[in-house]
Amino acid sequence: MPPRYRYEEIADDLQKRIEDGEFPPGSRLPSRRELTSHYEVTAPVIDRAMQILRVKGITETLAGVGVYVRDSPSDS
């Protein structure tokens, strides 16, 4: 199995936390600053993880407001 990038691990962890109800639909995810501190990585790593969640339809970004868990991940 090839090594995984840290941003993939973070995206998977956040997705699991969302699925487990830690971040319910409609809730705001922690800020980039909070996530960089929590995962001990740089902002670009968090940005890449957020991009994965957005592409999967799990989150949506509201410019200047934050990243939110979509009400229905199956909606596109």
Side-chain angles (χ1 to χ4, degrees), residues 12-39:
D12 286 349
D13 183 59
L14 286 168
Q15 182 174 350
K16 182 178 184 323
R17 292 169 70 186
I18 290 167
E19 290 169 352
D20 289 347
E22 184 175 342
F23 302 113
S27 67
R28 184 174 178 270
L29 292 182
S31 69
R32 179 194 293 162
R33 182 177 296 153
E34 292 169 315
L35 292 171
T36 58
S37 176
H38 176 79
Y39 289 106

Side-chain angles (χ1 to χ4, degrees), residues 18 23-29 58-60 67-71 73:
I18 290 167
F23 302 113
S27 67
R28 184 174 178 270
L29 292 182
I58 296 169
T59 62
E60 61 184 328
V67 178
Y68 289 81
V69 178
R70 290 183 61 116
D71 286 329

